[in-house]
Amino acid sequence: MITPQQVEEMIKAELPDAQIQVQDLTGGGDHYQVTVVSSQFAGKGLVQQHQLVYGALQQAMSTEAIHALALKTSTPEASPATN
């Protein structure tokens, strides 16, 4: 199990300017919905934005500490996240 705060900290380590909202969808600590707003997404497509977040969470996902992840990403200019 991983806490929402741990998820946020892992993303912040890779995307320090990110505004992050983490929701535990099932209460079990392994299914999350995460919204990330970061200027580092500028000029990147949706897949590239998601790859940055998945990269930050790679260890937790590879060990299945995070079993499912729903992502919404955007730049601050495009916020609120609509992707």
Side-chain angles (χ1 to χ4, degrees):
M1 187 172 100
I2 190 166
T3 68
Q5 179 153 354
Q6 289 172 311
V7 172
E8 183 173 344
E9 289 170 359
M10 285 187 273
I11 296 169
K12 282 266 191 196
E14 295 293 321
L15 303 166
D17 75 320
Q19 299 171 28
I20 304 163
Q21 294 179 337
V22 181
Q23 293 178 304
D24 185 342
L25 297 176
T26 63
D30 63 349
H31 289 71
Y32 287 101
Q33 178 173 307
V34 180
T35 302
V36 183
V37 178
S38 173
S39 62
Q40 293 186 46
F41 295 150
K44 293 180 173 48
L46 186 60
V47 171
Q48 291 172 312
Q49 293 175 18
H50 286 202
Q51 286 173 333
L52 286 172
V53 177
Y54 281 122
L57 299 174
Q58 181 179 9
Q59 182 177 353
M61 296 199 66
S62 67
T63 62
E64 295 192 17
I66 297 176
H67 179 73
L69 182 68
L71 282 178
K72 293 181 182 181
T73 58
S74 70
T75 61
E77 295 77 24
S79 189
T82 57
N83 298 332

